[in-house]
Amino acid sequence: MPMRMPMLMIAGVSLSLMAACGPQIPETPEIVNPDVALPYGTPLERREPDLCQLDQVRAFVGQPVSYAPVSSLDRPVRVIGPDDIVTQEYNPRRVNFYTDAYGTITRVSCG
């Protein structure tokens, strides 16, 4: 029995040290109240202008992708299907047409 006590103490100290080295729980982010005005100069106020001219193509939502002016636009265009893999680089001039499995445009965005 006297031999077990030091072993238990060593095991307890080891477990304590391992727990201290474990992953730290991140702090909960502060929730922003939408009713409170943001200070001037925040990232939400410094948006770039609508370089892809999204208002010109929003009307195509709900239409077949063949109706979209993909080749006649003077800016980059990307047609993205429901299972397509796309790159993550952001191009503010590019128009993205998102389609469903039937080729109907479900959403348009810049990027």
Side-chain angles (χ1 to χ4, degrees):
M1 184 87 102
M3 199 64 146
R4 282 192 176 198
M5 193 57 117
M7 297 279 279
L8 289 175
M9 288 176 53
I10 292 172
V13 169
S14 298
L15 288 174
S16 299
L17 291 174
M18 287 179 13
C21 296
Q24 300 296 322
I25 299 173
E27 291 183 21
T28 306
E30 181 180 336
I31 297 174
V32 177
N33 184 350
D35 298 329
V36 176
L38 295 172
Y40 179 75
T42 63
L44 294 177
E45 291 180 0
R46 292 188 303 242
R47 289 191 179 190
E48 293 186 20
D50 184 15
L51 297 177
C52 78
Q53 300 166 350
L54 202 55
D55 289 336
Q56 295 177 0
V57 293
R58 277 200 178 113
F60 292 100
V61 173
Q63 302 292 325
V65 73
S66 58
Y67 288 9
V70 173
S71 60
S72 63
L73 290 176
D74 62 345
R75 53 198 171 273
V77 175
R78 185 163 61 173
V79 177
I80 304 168
D83 297 323
D84 288 352
I85 297 172
V86 293
T87 59
Q88 294 296 313
E89 88 279 354
Y90 181 76
N91 181 347
R93 293 194 66 238
R94 179 173 49 211
V95 177
N96 295 314
F97 289 98
Y98 292 88
T99 65
D100 62 11
Y102 302 104
T104 303
I105 298 171
T106 57
R107 182 171 68 115
V108 293
S109 70
C110 294

